[in-house]
Amino acid sequence: MAAIRVPKSMRAKRELLKHAPKLVENGKKMIILHGTKTSAVLNSVLADLFHLKRDHAVKFTKKNDNIRPFESGGETSLEFFSLKSDCSLLVYGSHSKKRPNNLVLGRTYDHHIYDLIEVGVENYKSIESYAYDKKLAPKLGTKPFFAFIGEHFESVEELKHLKEMLLDHFKGEVVENLNLVGVDRIFVCTAISPTTVCMMHCALRLKRSGTSIPRMELVEVGPSMDLVVRRHRLPAHDLQKEAMKAPGHAKKVKNVSDNVLDGKQGRIYIPDQEIAKMALTSDIKGLKRERRDAKKSKEHLKKQKVNPE
């Protein structure tokens, strides 16, 4: 059982608040892990996945012997790494004779395993194997398009799950508005069979079309691979219900507003002062000062009369 962390300084307190639940959550981060044994193909796959998500990803290169997804007690290390690196998306690669070039994609809820899907990598082509104009290379931090081609994504349960997993791993941060010029890449996923998906990463080239909507051309920049679904595990119904619970609206703070230039502004209520009903006494400091000033001026006049020039 993890110990409760108590901050001992304001800096530590601010750091813990960054990881605390929020009404609008931060973008999801992805952690990439290696198994006991990995092949050269799988190492290249993990390196390319990290390259695509390098602004929101953490990669560990050390081999992990005690990680065994889909097994009881073998997922404790995955949850530990998720908590340590504050990542809610998992990618785990391993290689064996029974499951060659094995890739496990997973998601966590409250740093506990939410769901998992296991795929095999076939017909892989790395980013370095493609020759193209480097000016078309996707920029860091841009949001991609997704194109899911094939009816199996709507009818087969495994491919439905894989579609959700790919969207969650590569969609990036949620935004309200999107500039079309900033969208420079697309993931094309084609369902070849009920268990196999061909995934390609392409750059978008915008060209003139004579209208306000530009014409788009696709240039394959890699990586590309075939993903063969082997095993998958959906979340429990109770856990899914808890994870899908939408947060309520934030409590509105009265008399507080935010301004772009001035920041947070507050409004104070001051009741009307009824001066006519105020009781005036002779002990008012202002009146005492007036009396002192009058007395000083009177004494000054007397001195002038006694000592005329």
PDB file of all heavy atoms in Angstrom, residues 81-115:
ATOM      1  N   PHE A  81       4.881   2.327 -12.059  1.00  0.00           N
ATOM      2  CA  PHE A  81       5.492   3.248 -13.029  1.00  0.00           C
ATOM      3  C   PHE A  81       4.502   4.333 -13.453  1.00  0.00           C
ATOM      4  O   PHE A  81       4.900   5.473 -13.705  1.00  0.00           O
ATOM      5  CB  PHE A  81       5.994   2.479 -14.244  1.00  0.00           C
ATOM      6  CG  PHE A  81       7.262   1.698 -13.994  1.00  0.00           C
ATOM      7  CD1 PHE A  81       7.304   0.332 -14.198  1.00  0.00           C
ATOM      8  CD2 PHE A  81       8.407   2.339 -13.555  1.00  0.00           C
ATOM      9  CE1 PHE A  81       8.462  -0.384 -13.968  1.00  0.00           C
ATOM     10  CE2 PHE A  81       9.575   1.636 -13.324  1.00  0.00           C
ATOM     11  CZ  PHE A  81       9.598   0.261 -13.527  1.00  0.00           C
ATOM     12  N   SER A  82       3.241   3.981 -13.560  1.00  0.00           N
ATOM     13  CA  SER A  82       2.221   4.973 -13.919  1.00  0.00           C
ATOM     14  C   SER A  82       2.118   6.052 -12.857  1.00  0.00           C
ATOM     15  O   SER A  82       2.017   7.242 -13.167  1.00  0.00           O
ATOM     16  CB  SER A  82       0.872   4.282 -14.106  1.00  0.00           C
ATOM     17  OG  SER A  82      -0.166   5.214 -14.245  1.00  0.00           O
ATOM     18  N   LEU A  83       2.139   5.641 -11.578  1.00  0.00           N
ATOM     19  CA  LEU A  83       2.072   6.613 -10.481  1.00  0.00           C
ATOM     20  C   LEU A  83       3.341   7.438 -10.390  1.00  0.00           C
ATOM     21  O   LEU A  83       3.298   8.656 -10.175  1.00  0.00           O
ATOM     22  CB  LEU A  83       1.817   5.867  -9.165  1.00  0.00           C
ATOM     23  CG  LEU A  83       1.777   6.705  -7.883  1.00  0.00           C
ATOM     24  CD1 LEU A  83       0.637   7.709  -7.932  1.00  0.00           C
ATOM     25  CD2 LEU A  83       1.655   5.814  -6.659  1.00  0.00           C
ATOM     26  N   LYS A  84       4.496   6.799 -10.583  1.00  0.00           N
ATOM     27  CA  LYS A  84       5.783   7.487 -10.440  1.00  0.00           C
ATOM     28  C   LYS A  84       5.963   8.566 -11.504  1.00  0.00           C
ATOM     29  O   LYS A  84       6.455   9.663 -11.219  1.00  0.00           O
ATOM     30  CB  LYS A  84       6.910   6.464 -10.520  1.00  0.00           C
ATOM     31  CG  LYS A  84       8.305   7.051 -10.356  1.00  0.00           C
ATOM     32  CD  LYS A  84       9.365   5.976 -10.458  1.00  0.00           C
ATOM     33  CE  LYS A  84      10.763   6.573 -10.327  1.00  0.00           C
ATOM     34  NZ  LYS A  84      11.820   5.529 -10.463  1.00  0.00           N
ATOM     35  N   SER A  85       5.572   8.262 -12.748  1.00  0.00           N
ATOM     36  CA  SER A  85       5.776   9.197 -13.864  1.00  0.00           C
ATOM     37  C   SER A  85       4.540  10.023 -14.180  1.00  0.00           C
ATOM     38  O   SER A  85       4.578  10.824 -15.109  1.00  0.00           O
ATOM     39  CB  SER A  85       6.225   8.434 -15.105  1.00  0.00           C
ATOM     40  OG  SER A  85       5.278   7.445 -15.434  1.00  0.00           O
ATOM     41  N   ASP A  86       3.440   9.805 -13.447  1.00  0.00           N
ATOM     42  CA  ASP A  86       2.180  10.529 -13.669  1.00  0.00           C
ATOM     43  C   ASP A  86       1.708  10.358 -15.116  1.00  0.00           C
ATOM     44  O   ASP A  86       1.394  11.322 -15.804  1.00  0.00           O
ATOM     45  CB  ASP A  86       2.347  12.017 -13.323  1.00  0.00           C
ATOM     46  CG  ASP A  86       0.999  12.741 -13.265  1.00  0.00           C
ATOM     47  OD1 ASP A  86      -0.006  12.096 -12.947  1.00  0.00           O
ATOM     48  OD2 ASP A  86       0.962  13.954 -13.548  1.00  0.00           O
ATOM     49  N   CYS A  87       1.677   9.105 -15.577  1.00  0.00           N
ATOM     50  CA  CYS A  87       1.224   8.777 -16.933  1.00  0.00           C
ATOM     51  C   CYS A  87      -0.003   7.872 -16.847  1.00  0.00           C
ATOM     52  O   CYS A  87      -0.025   6.928 -16.043  1.00  0.00           O
ATOM     53  CB  CYS A  87       2.328   8.069 -17.724  1.00  0.00           C
ATOM     54  SG  CYS A  87       3.781   9.092 -18.033  1.00  0.00           S
ATOM     55  N   SER A  88      -0.992   8.158 -17.670  1.00  0.00           N
ATOM     56  CA  SER A  88      -2.215   7.347 -17.681  1.00  0.00           C
ATOM     57  C   SER A  88      -2.304   6.440 -18.904  1.00  0.00           C
ATOM     58  O   SER A  88      -3.257   5.662 -19.013  1.00  0.00           O
ATOM     59  CB  SER A  88      -3.437   8.265 -17.639  1.00  0.00           C
ATOM     60  OG  SER A  88      -3.418   9.181 -18.708  1.00  0.00           O
ATOM     61  N   LEU A  89      -1.345   6.516 -19.824  1.00  0.00           N
ATOM     62  CA  LEU A  89      -1.312   5.657 -21.010  1.00  0.00           C
ATOM     63  C   LEU A  89      -0.057   4.791 -20.968  1.00  0.00           C
ATOM     64  O   LEU A  89       1.027   5.285 -20.642  1.00  0.00           O
ATOM     65  CB  LEU A  89      -1.330   6.495 -22.285  1.00  0.00           C
ATOM     66  CG  LEU A  89      -2.510   7.468 -22.436  1.00  0.00           C
ATOM     67  CD1 LEU A  89      -2.315   8.349 -23.660  1.00  0.00           C
ATOM     68  CD2 LEU A  89      -3.822   6.719 -22.535  1.00  0.00           C
ATOM     69  N   LEU A  90      -0.192   3.513 -21.315  1.00  0.00           N
ATOM     70  CA  LEU A  90       0.912   2.565 -21.213  1.00  0.00           C
ATOM     71  C   LEU A  90       1.193   1.929 -22.567  1.00  0.00           C
ATOM     72  O   LEU A  90       0.269   1.613 -23.322  1.00  0.00           O
ATOM     73  CB  LEU A  90       0.566   1.449 -20.211  1.00  0.00           C
ATOM     74  CG  LEU A  90       0.184   1.873 -18.790  1.00  0.00           C
ATOM     75  CD1 LEU A  90      -0.365   0.675 -18.041  1.00  0.00           C
ATOM     76  CD2 LEU A  90       1.375   2.445 -18.052  1.00  0.00           C
ATOM     77  N   VAL A  91       2.481   1.728 -22.850  1.00  0.00           N
ATOM     78  CA  VAL A  91       2.930   0.948 -24.009  1.00  0.00           C
ATOM     79  C   VAL A  91       4.041   0.027 -23.513  1.00  0.00           C
ATOM     80  O   VAL A  91       5.061   0.496 -22.996  1.00  0.00           O
ATOM     81  CB  VAL A  91       3.431   1.840 -25.157  1.00  0.00           C
ATOM     82  CG1 VAL A  91       3.968   0.974 -26.280  1.00  0.00           C
ATOM     83  CG2 VAL A  91       2.325   2.737 -25.681  1.00  0.00           C
ATOM     84  N   TYR A  92       3.830  -1.278 -23.670  1.00  0.00           N
ATOM     85  CA  TYR A  92       4.789  -2.269 -23.160  1.00  0.00           C
ATOM     86  C   TYR A  92       5.148  -3.217 -24.296  1.00  0.00           C
ATOM     87  O   TYR A  92       4.271  -3.793 -24.939  1.00  0.00           O
ATOM     88  CB  TYR A  92       4.174  -3.030 -21.986  1.00  0.00           C
ATOM     89  CG  TYR A  92       4.999  -4.193 -21.486  1.00  0.00           C
ATOM     90  CD1 TYR A  92       6.162  -3.976 -20.749  1.00  0.00           C
ATOM     91  CD2 TYR A  92       4.624  -5.500 -21.759  1.00  0.00           C
ATOM     92  CE1 TYR A  92       6.917  -5.039 -20.286  1.00  0.00           C
ATOM     93  CE2 TYR A  92       5.368  -6.578 -21.297  1.00  0.00           C
ATOM     94  CZ  TYR A  92       6.518  -6.337 -20.563  1.00  0.00           C
ATOM     95  OH  TYR A  92       7.272  -7.390 -20.110  1.00  0.00           O
ATOM     96  N   GLY A  93       6.448  -3.350 -24.567  1.00  0.00           N
ATOM     97  CA  GLY A  93       6.906  -4.207 -25.651  1.00  0.00           C
ATOM     98  C   GLY A  93       7.688  -5.394 -25.138  1.00  0.00           C
ATOM     99  O   GLY A  93       8.533  -5.253 -24.246  1.00  0.00           O
ATOM    100  N   SER A  94       7.418  -6.581 -25.709  1.00  0.00           N
ATOM    101  CA  SER A  94       8.145  -7.800 -25.334  1.00  0.00           C
ATOM    102  C   SER A  94       8.205  -8.723 -26.553  1.00  0.00           C
ATOM    103  O   SER A  94       7.451  -8.560 -27.516  1.00  0.00           O
ATOM    104  CB  SER A  94       7.453  -8.514 -24.164  1.00  0.00           C
ATOM    105  OG  SER A  94       6.135  -8.901 -24.536  1.00  0.00           O
ATOM    106  N   HIS A  95       9.119  -9.689 -26.491  1.00  0.00           N
ATOM    107  CA  HIS A  95       9.317 -10.603 -27.617  1.00  0.00           C
ATOM    108  C   HIS A  95       9.590 -11.995 -27.063  1.00  0.00           C
ATOM    109  O   HIS A  95      10.421 -12.180 -26.164  1.00  0.00           O
ATOM    110  CB  HIS A  95      10.503 -10.126 -28.471  1.00  0.00           C
ATOM    111  CG  HIS A  95      10.812 -11.017 -29.624  1.00  0.00           C
ATOM    112  ND1 HIS A  95      10.054 -11.059 -30.771  1.00  0.00           N
ATOM    113  CD2 HIS A  95      11.813 -11.929 -29.807  1.00  0.00           C
ATOM    114  CE1 HIS A  95      10.568 -11.932 -31.614  1.00  0.00           C
ATOM    115  NE2 HIS A  95      11.640 -12.477 -31.051  1.00  0.00           N
ATOM    116  N   SER A  96       8.863 -12.979 -27.604  1.00  0.00           N
ATOM    117  CA  SER A  96       9.069 -14.373 -27.207  1.00  0.00           C
ATOM    118  C   SER A  96       8.714 -15.268 -28.395  1.00  0.00           C
ATOM    119  O   SER A  96       8.157 -14.799 -29.403  1.00  0.00           O
ATOM    120  CB  SER A  96       8.210 -14.732 -25.987  1.00  0.00           C
ATOM    121  OG  SER A  96       6.833 -14.641 -26.298  1.00  0.00           O
ATOM    122  N   LYS A  97       9.023 -16.546 -28.268  1.00  0.00           N
ATOM    123  CA  LYS A  97       8.730 -17.486 -29.353  1.00  0.00           C
ATOM    124  C   LYS A  97       7.222 -17.661 -29.535  1.00  0.00           C
ATOM    125  O   LYS A  97       6.736 -17.801 -30.657  1.00  0.00           O
ATOM    126  CB  LYS A  97       9.390 -18.830 -29.037  1.00  0.00           C
ATOM    127  CG  LYS A  97       9.286 -19.836 -30.164  1.00  0.00           C
ATOM    128  CD  LYS A  97      10.026 -21.113 -29.817  1.00  0.00           C
ATOM    129  CE  LYS A  97       9.923 -22.130 -30.980  1.00  0.00           C
ATOM    130  NZ  LYS A  97      10.637 -23.385 -30.647  1.00  0.00           N
ATOM    131  N   LYS A  98       6.502 -17.622 -28.427  1.00  0.00           N
ATOM    132  CA  LYS A  98       5.043 -17.797 -28.482  1.00  0.00           C
ATOM    133  C   LYS A  98       4.361 -16.540 -29.015  1.00  0.00           C
ATOM    134  O   LYS A  98       3.394 -16.621 -29.787  1.00  0.00           O
ATOM    135  CB  LYS A  98       4.527 -18.133 -27.081  1.00  0.00           C
ATOM    136  CG  LYS A  98       3.050 -18.445 -27.039  1.00  0.00           C
ATOM    137  CD  LYS A  98       2.631 -18.803 -25.618  1.00  0.00           C
ATOM    138  CE  LYS A  98       1.130 -19.105 -25.559  1.00  0.00           C
ATOM    139  NZ  LYS A  98       0.702 -19.431 -24.169  1.00  0.00           N
ATOM    140  N   ARG A  99       4.838 -15.352 -28.597  1.00  0.00           N
ATOM    141  CA  ARG A  99       4.257 -14.073 -29.026  1.00  0.00           C
ATOM    142  C   ARG A  99       5.375 -13.153 -29.525  1.00  0.00           C
ATOM    143  O   ARG A  99       5.873 -12.303 -28.790  1.00  0.00           O
ATOM    144  CB  ARG A  99       3.504 -13.410 -27.869  1.00  0.00           C
ATOM    145  CG  ARG A  99       2.274 -14.187 -27.426  1.00  0.00           C
ATOM    146  CD  ARG A  99       1.470 -13.391 -26.410  1.00  0.00           C
ATOM    147  NE  ARG A  99       0.263 -14.080 -26.033  1.00  0.00           N
ATOM    148  CZ  ARG A  99       0.157 -14.946 -25.031  1.00  0.00           C
ATOM    149  NH1 ARG A  99       1.220 -15.212 -24.277  1.00  0.00           N
ATOM    150  NH2 ARG A  99      -0.989 -15.528 -24.757  1.00  0.00           N
ATOM    151  N   PRO A 100       5.788 -13.306 -30.778  1.00  0.00           N
ATOM    152  CA  PRO A 100       6.876 -12.446 -31.303  1.00  0.00           C
ATOM    153  C   PRO A 100       6.388 -11.021 -31.551  1.00  0.00           C
ATOM    154  O   PRO A 100       5.236 -10.802 -31.943  1.00  0.00           O
ATOM    155  CB  PRO A 100       7.260 -13.145 -32.617  1.00  0.00           C
ATOM    156  CG  PRO A 100       6.021 -13.877 -33.028  1.00  0.00           C
ATOM    157  CD  PRO A 100       5.338 -14.290 -31.765  1.00  0.00           C
ATOM    158  N   ASN A 101       7.308 -10.067 -31.315  1.00  0.00           N
ATOM    159  CA  ASN A 101       7.025  -8.641 -31.546  1.00  0.00           C
ATOM    160  C   ASN A 101       5.687  -8.237 -30.919  1.00  0.00           C
ATOM    161  O   ASN A 101       4.775  -7.738 -31.586  1.00  0.00           O
ATOM    162  CB  ASN A 101       7.025  -8.328 -33.044  1.00  0.00           C
ATOM    163  CG  ASN A 101       8.355  -8.620 -33.693  1.00  0.00           C
ATOM    164  OD1 ASN A 101       9.408  -8.460 -33.081  1.00  0.00           O
ATOM    165  ND2 ASN A 101       8.325  -9.064 -34.948  1.00  0.00           N
ATOM    166  N   ASN A 102       5.604  -8.479 -29.633  1.00  0.00           N
ATOM    167  CA  ASN A 102       4.352  -8.274 -28.903  1.00  0.00           C
ATOM    168  C   ASN A 102       4.290  -6.856 -28.338  1.00  0.00           C
ATOM    169  O   ASN A 102       5.247  -6.364 -27.741  1.00  0.00           O
ATOM    170  CB  ASN A 102       4.252  -9.284 -27.754  1.00  0.00           C
ATOM    171  CG  ASN A 102       2.842  -9.456 -27.285  1.00  0.00           C
ATOM    172  OD1 ASN A 102       1.940  -9.676 -28.086  1.00  0.00           O
ATOM    173  ND2 ASN A 102       2.631  -9.354 -25.988  1.00  0.00           N
ATOM    174  N   LEU A 103       3.144  -6.190 -28.539  1.00  0.00           N
ATOM    175  CA  LEU A 103       2.953  -4.812 -28.075  1.00  0.00           C
ATOM    176  C   LEU A 103       1.660  -4.766 -27.272  1.00  0.00           C
ATOM    177  O   LEU A 103       0.607  -5.201 -27.750  1.00  0.00           O
ATOM    178  CB  LEU A 103       2.877  -3.861 -29.268  1.00  0.00           C
ATOM    179  CG  LEU A 103       3.180  -2.378 -29.019  1.00  0.00           C
ATOM    180  CD1 LEU A 103       4.634  -2.196 -28.594  1.00  0.00           C
ATOM    181  CD2 LEU A 103       2.905  -1.573 -30.275  1.00  0.00           C
ATOM    182  N   VAL A 104       1.745  -4.245 -26.052  1.00  0.00           N
ATOM    183  CA  VAL A 104       0.575  -4.128 -25.179  1.00  0.00           C
ATOM    184  C   VAL A 104       0.268  -2.650 -24.972  1.00  0.00           C
ATOM    185  O   VAL A 104       1.130  -1.892 -24.519  1.00  0.00           O
ATOM    186  CB  VAL A 104       0.814  -4.820 -23.817  1.00  0.00           C
ATOM    187  CG1 VAL A 104      -0.391  -4.629 -22.902  1.00  0.00           C
ATOM    188  CG2 VAL A 104       1.095  -6.299 -24.016  1.00  0.00           C
ATOM    189  N   LEU A 105      -0.936  -2.245 -25.314  1.00  0.00           N
ATOM    190  CA  LEU A 105      -1.415  -0.881 -25.086  1.00  0.00           C
ATOM    191  C   LEU A 105      -2.407  -0.911 -23.941  1.00  0.00           C
ATOM    192  O   LEU A 105      -3.275  -1.795 -23.887  1.00  0.00           O
ATOM    193  CB  LEU A 105      -2.086  -0.317 -26.340  1.00  0.00           C
ATOM    194  CG  LEU A 105      -1.293  -0.364 -27.645  1.00  0.00           C
ATOM    195  CD1 LEU A 105      -2.130   0.160 -28.791  1.00  0.00           C
ATOM    196  CD2 LEU A 105      -0.019   0.441 -27.511  1.00  0.00           C
ATOM    197  N   GLY A 106      -2.276   0.043 -23.031  1.00  0.00           N
ATOM    198  CA  GLY A 106      -3.156   0.054 -21.871  1.00  0.00           C
ATOM    199  C   GLY A 106      -3.472   1.458 -21.397  1.00  0.00           C
ATOM    200  O   GLY A 106      -2.796   2.432 -21.752  1.00  0.00           O
ATOM    201  N   ARG A 107      -4.531   1.535 -20.592  1.00  0.00           N
ATOM    202  CA  ARG A 107      -4.936   2.788 -19.966  1.00  0.00           C
ATOM    203  C   ARG A 107      -5.134   2.546 -18.476  1.00  0.00           C
ATOM    204  O   ARG A 107      -5.453   1.431 -18.056  1.00  0.00           O
ATOM    205  CB  ARG A 107      -6.240   3.315 -20.587  1.00  0.00           C
ATOM    206  CG  ARG A 107      -6.123   3.696 -22.038  1.00  0.00           C
ATOM    207  CD  ARG A 107      -7.428   4.235 -22.606  1.00  0.00           C
ATOM    208  NE  ARG A 107      -8.422   3.184 -22.750  1.00  0.00           N
ATOM    209  CZ  ARG A 107      -9.618   3.362 -23.313  1.00  0.00           C
ATOM    210  NH1 ARG A 107      -9.947   4.556 -23.769  1.00  0.00           N
ATOM    211  NH2 ARG A 107     -10.477   2.359 -23.425  1.00  0.00           N
ATOM    212  N   THR A 108      -4.941   3.589 -17.690  1.00  0.00           N
ATOM    213  CA  THR A 108      -5.123   3.489 -16.241  1.00  0.00           C
ATOM    214  C   THR A 108      -6.167   4.497 -15.785  1.00  0.00           C
ATOM    215  O   THR A 108      -6.376   5.530 -16.421  1.00  0.00           O
ATOM    216  CB  THR A 108      -3.806   3.754 -15.491  1.00  0.00           C
ATOM    217  OG1 THR A 108      -3.380   5.102 -15.751  1.00  0.00           O
ATOM    218  CG2 THR A 108      -2.725   2.781 -15.924  1.00  0.00           C
ATOM    219  N   TYR A 109      -6.813   4.154 -14.683  1.00  0.00           N
ATOM    220  CA  TYR A 109      -7.730   5.076 -14.012  1.00  0.00           C
ATOM    221  C   TYR A 109      -7.307   5.143 -12.550  1.00  0.00           C
ATOM    222  O   TYR A 109      -7.263   4.107 -11.870  1.00  0.00           O
ATOM    223  CB  TYR A 109      -9.182   4.603 -14.131  1.00  0.00           C
ATOM    224  CG  TYR A 109     -10.146   5.418 -13.300  1.00  0.00           C
ATOM    225  CD1 TYR A 109     -10.447   6.731 -13.650  1.00  0.00           C
ATOM    226  CD2 TYR A 109     -10.722   4.891 -12.147  1.00  0.00           C
ATOM    227  CE1 TYR A 109     -11.312   7.484 -12.889  1.00  0.00           C
ATOM    228  CE2 TYR A 109     -11.589   5.641 -11.379  1.00  0.00           C
ATOM    229  CZ  TYR A 109     -11.885   6.938 -11.755  1.00  0.00           C
ATOM    230  OH  TYR A 109     -12.731   7.685 -10.993  1.00  0.00           O
ATOM    231  N   ASP A 110      -6.989   6.348 -12.092  1.00  0.00           N
ATOM    232  CA  ASP A 110      -6.488   6.544 -10.732  1.00  0.00           C
ATOM    233  C   ASP A 110      -5.240   5.684 -10.498  1.00  0.00           C
ATOM    234  O   ASP A 110      -5.049   5.115  -9.427  1.00  0.00           O
ATOM    235  CB  ASP A 110      -7.576   6.227  -9.699  1.00  0.00           C
ATOM    236  CG  ASP A 110      -7.234   6.753  -8.318  1.00  0.00           C
ATOM    237  OD1 ASP A 110      -6.389   7.670  -8.221  1.00  0.00           O
ATOM    238  OD2 ASP A 110      -7.800   6.252  -7.322  1.00  0.00           O
ATOM    239  N   HIS A 111      -4.411   5.567 -11.560  1.00  0.00           N
ATOM    240  CA  HIS A 111      -3.153   4.815 -11.543  1.00  0.00           C
ATOM    241  C   HIS A 111      -3.367   3.326 -11.246  1.00  0.00           C
ATOM    242  O   HIS A 111      -2.498   2.674 -10.676  1.00  0.00           O
ATOM    243  CB  HIS A 111      -2.171   5.429 -10.551  1.00  0.00           C
ATOM    244  CG  HIS A 111      -1.827   6.854 -10.868  1.00  0.00           C
ATOM    245  ND1 HIS A 111      -1.180   7.235 -12.029  1.00  0.00           N
ATOM    246  CD2 HIS A 111      -2.072   8.018 -10.184  1.00  0.00           C
ATOM    247  CE1 HIS A 111      -1.022   8.546 -12.039  1.00  0.00           C
ATOM    248  NE2 HIS A 111      -1.560   9.045 -10.946  1.00  0.00           N
ATOM    249  N   HIS A 112      -4.520   2.813 -11.645  1.00  0.00           N
ATOM    250  CA  HIS A 112      -4.791   1.370 -11.621  1.00  0.00           C
ATOM    251  C   HIS A 112      -5.196   0.952 -13.033  1.00  0.00           C
ATOM    252  O   HIS A 112      -5.841   1.715 -13.755  1.00  0.00           O
ATOM    253  CB  HIS A 112      -5.892   1.027 -10.613  1.00  0.00           C
ATOM    254  CG  HIS A 112      -5.515   1.299  -9.195  1.00  0.00           C
ATOM    255  ND1 HIS A 112      -4.628   0.508  -8.482  1.00  0.00           N
ATOM    256  CD2 HIS A 112      -5.875   2.293  -8.341  1.00  0.00           C
ATOM    257  CE1 HIS A 112      -4.476   0.997  -7.256  1.00  0.00           C
ATOM    258  NE2 HIS A 112      -5.218   2.083  -7.157  1.00  0.00           N
ATOM    259  N   ILE A 113      -4.846  -0.279 -13.427  1.00  0.00           N
ATOM    260  CA  ILE A 113      -5.101  -0.735 -14.783  1.00  0.00           C
ATOM    261  C   ILE A 113      -6.597  -0.669 -15.089  1.00  0.00           C
ATOM    262  O   ILE A 113      -7.418  -1.243 -14.368  1.00  0.00           O
ATOM    263  CB  ILE A 113      -4.569  -2.164 -14.987  1.00  0.00           C
ATOM    264  CG1 ILE A 113      -3.050  -2.203 -14.779  1.00  0.00           C
ATOM    265  CG2 ILE A 113      -4.921  -2.667 -16.385  1.00  0.00           C
ATOM    266  CD1 ILE A 113      -2.266  -1.359 -15.746  1.00  0.00           C
ATOM    267  N   TYR A 114      -6.926   0.032 -16.172  1.00  0.00           N
ATOM    268  CA  TYR A 114      -8.316   0.185 -16.599  1.00  0.00           C
ATOM    269  C   TYR A 114      -8.667  -0.847 -17.673  1.00  0.00           C
ATOM    270  O   TYR A 114      -9.626  -1.593 -17.519  1.00  0.00           O
ATOM    271  CB  TYR A 114      -8.524   1.610 -17.123  1.00  0.00           C
ATOM    272  CG  TYR A 114      -9.921   1.904 -17.607  1.00  0.00           C
ATOM    273  CD1 TYR A 114     -10.971   2.059 -16.711  1.00  0.00           C
ATOM    274  CD2 TYR A 114     -10.187   2.044 -18.976  1.00  0.00           C
ATOM    275  CE1 TYR A 114     -12.253   2.335 -17.162  1.00  0.00           C
ATOM    276  CE2 TYR A 114     -11.464   2.313 -19.421  1.00  0.00           C
ATOM    277  CZ  TYR A 114     -12.496   2.466 -18.514  1.00  0.00           C
ATOM    278  OH  TYR A 114     -13.766   2.728 -18.959  1.00  0.00           O
ATOM    279  N   ASP A 115      -7.911  -0.892 -18.768  1.00  0.00           N
ATOM    280  CA  ASP A 115      -8.114  -1.895 -19.803  1.00  0.00           C
ATOM    281  C   ASP A 115      -6.801  -2.111 -20.552  1.00  0.00           C
ATOM    282  O   ASP A 115      -5.885  -1.281 -20.499  1.00  0.00           O
ATOM    283  CB  ASP A 115      -9.246  -1.492 -20.769  1.00  0.00           C
ATOM    284  CG  ASP A 115      -8.962  -0.169 -21.471  1.00  0.00           C
ATOM    285  OD1 ASP A 115      -8.030   0.536 -21.040  1.00  0.00           O
ATOM    286  OD2 ASP A 115      -9.674   0.171 -22.434  1.00  0.00           O
TER     287      ASP A 115
END
